[in-house]
Structures are given as C-alpha cells and as structure tokens.
Amino acid sequence: MAPRVTNPNFMNGVPELLVLTLLQQEEMYGYEIVQAIRSRTDAIIAVGEGVVYPVLHGLERDGALTARRKTVNGRSRIYYSVTPVGSYRLADLSRSWIHLATAIQRMLTGGQHGEAIP
Amino acid sequence: MAPRVTNPNFMNGVPELLVLTLLQQEEMYGYEIVQAIRSRTDAIIAVGEGVVYPVLHGLERDGALTARRKTVNGRSRIYYSVTPVGSYRLADLSRSWIHLATAIQRMLTGGQHGEAIP
DNA sequence: TGCAATGCCTTGAACTTCGAGGTAATATGG
DNA sequence: CCATATTACCTCGAAGTTCAAGGCATTGCA
C-alpha cells in the first residue's frame, strides 16, 4: 500500500498558542484576551469570543490554566494564569508553529532542505 | 453594539498556497505534488490526496490553473500549469500568509506594534 | 502469480472556526 | 431618569477544512 499520511491537522492550535502566549506574559481574562489579540496584531488576527472562551475552558480542564474570580469596579472577571503544565504546552505549540512556519517559508522562497538563511 | 469580528477563517488557504507555489516553479501532476510537499518540508507538512485533488480542481475551475493530459511510461498523468490568474492569486495568498506569520511571530517574541527587527 | 507502487478520484467523520445570540451589570448622555 | 453602549460571561448551529480510508486501473518487480 502507498504510505499513508499521519498529520493531526497541521494548521491547528494557533488560537491556543496565542492565548497561552498572552497569559504567560500576564494574567488576563477572556474579554481582555479577545481584544489583546486584535490590537496587538493590528487586527490582522481577530478571533471571536466563540473561539477564546472554549479554548480557555479546555485549557483549564487540562490543567494548563488556573482561574480565579476577581471583582474590579463592580465587574466580575475570571483571570487565568498559566500553570507548569501550561508552560510546557506553550513551549510545545510554539515549537510546532516555528517548524511549520519555517517549512512554509522555505517553500515560498524556493529554498531547499538544509538551507541556511544568513 | 460591541464591534463584531470579520475574519474569514484566518488560517485557511495554506494548501492552496503550497500547490500554487510548486506549480509556479514547474509543471506537476497531483500525485507528484503530494509527495513534493512531503519531501520538500521534510515531512513537517504532509497533506493527503484528499486535500490536493480538490484544491487542483477548484483552482482549475477558477481559471488559476490549466490542465493537460500526458502519458508517460504508459501512465496517464494530468499536468497543471499556473495561469496569469493563478499567479495573481499566488501573490495574494503569499502576502496574506506573510502578514499572518509575521503577526504571530511578533506575538511570540513579545514584540509590540511597529517594532523593527534589526 | 501476487503484491507494491503509481496515478486518478470521492466520501463520511471529525474537527475548527465563524457569527449570532443570550444574560446581566455598569457607564454614559440626552 | 431612562435608553443605549460597553463590559463580561457563555453557548450553539452553520459552514468550512482536513483526515483517513476506500475504490478503480495500470505498471513494475520478485
């Protein structure tokens, strides 16, 4: 048989990557994350709440985040922090992304296998 | 109302980008493209035939590719070439990808808005 | 003869994301 | 003082992709 591909959805995990990246830098809450992604990428990337909240819940369920409730100005917010598990996961996703982006970059520039970019 | 996001699936168009990139360099057929992507990215990216063939058909339908049948060693192959329309589309997808990758890269490195990378 | 590789193709399940909607509290402005 | 916008949480269905597997036919090799 022809060799079969085993590629668990090569483009996934980017929203998760972005969320973890932000939370690694500072504690944040959902609504804030949505806008931080939008503003820090100059609106090039704009994921909606329908993406961010499920990601947060999933990461918390997996022990990658911890949540604590805080009330500021009478507004109830849920702040998330990265756990060691989350740090590990971030490093992992980050590596994957770099690999992927580098591979695509090489394709675009016509570069071949072990080509250095000086 | 809170500002709504308008983001037609920000991670899409990568398989199309890869296919067009390869075909811009040289005429190729479907089966060959599948393996070229695999080998040139050192198996970091491995899209299956179930992705490539629909992409080829779609691009041809849109006038971005032309197909011609050729028989080599008794094997019937369909070679695809990029049309001017396809070149334009490639340039477009390429720009989008660079934008996206740069934005994510900035997030990862903690870089802020108009930060230069010297 | 049988199995692997070449080469085309389609399809169903699984997964993500989008877009919209729902709830509730606090500012703001006319 | 009341209507609207903003903050802040959440969920869900529709739409779109990708994956994995399968089918078909031919050629090469042991």
Side-chain angles (χ1 to χ4, degrees), chain B residues 35-48:
Chain B
Q35 308 195 32
I37 292 176
R38 191 185 175 80
S39 79
R40 296 200 196 185
T41 64
D42 294 318
I44 292 168
I45 304 174
V47 297

Side-chain angles (χ1 to χ4, degrees), chain B residues 5-7 9-10 29-31 49-50 53 57 75 77-78:
Chain B
V5 169
T6 308
N7 219 30
N9 211 347
F10 71 101
Y29 55 98
Y31 192 81
E49 302 174 24
Y53 283 115
H57 300 156
R75 298 201 182 270
R77 299 170 176 169
I78 302 175

Side-chain angles (χ1 to χ4, degrees), chain A residues 14-91:
Chain A
V14 171
E16 219 175 275
L17 172 62
L18 296 177
V19 167
L20 279 170
T21 298
L22 286 174
L23 291 177
Q24 183 85 318
Q25 296 168 8
E26 60 179 310
E27 209 183 34
M28 280 179 143
Y29 55 99
Y31 193 82
E32 189 184 7
I33 292 172
V34 171
Q35 308 195 33
I37 291 176
R38 191 184 174 81
S39 80
R40 296 199 197 186
T41 64
D42 294 316
I44 292 169
I45 303 174
V47 297
E49 301 173 24
V51 172
V52 168
Y53 284 115
V55 165
L56 288 172
H57 300 156
L59 287 173
E60 188 188 8
R61 176 177 39 72
D62 295 349
L65 298 178
T66 51
R68 70 190 180 93
R69 185 159 232 110
K70 202 159 68 165
T71 298
V72 179
N73 297 342
R75 299 200 182 269
S76 179
R77 299 170 178 170
I78 302 174
Y79 282 86
Y80 292 91
S81 301
V82 179
T83 66
V85 172
S87 278
Y88 186 81
R89 186 147 170 174
L90 172 55

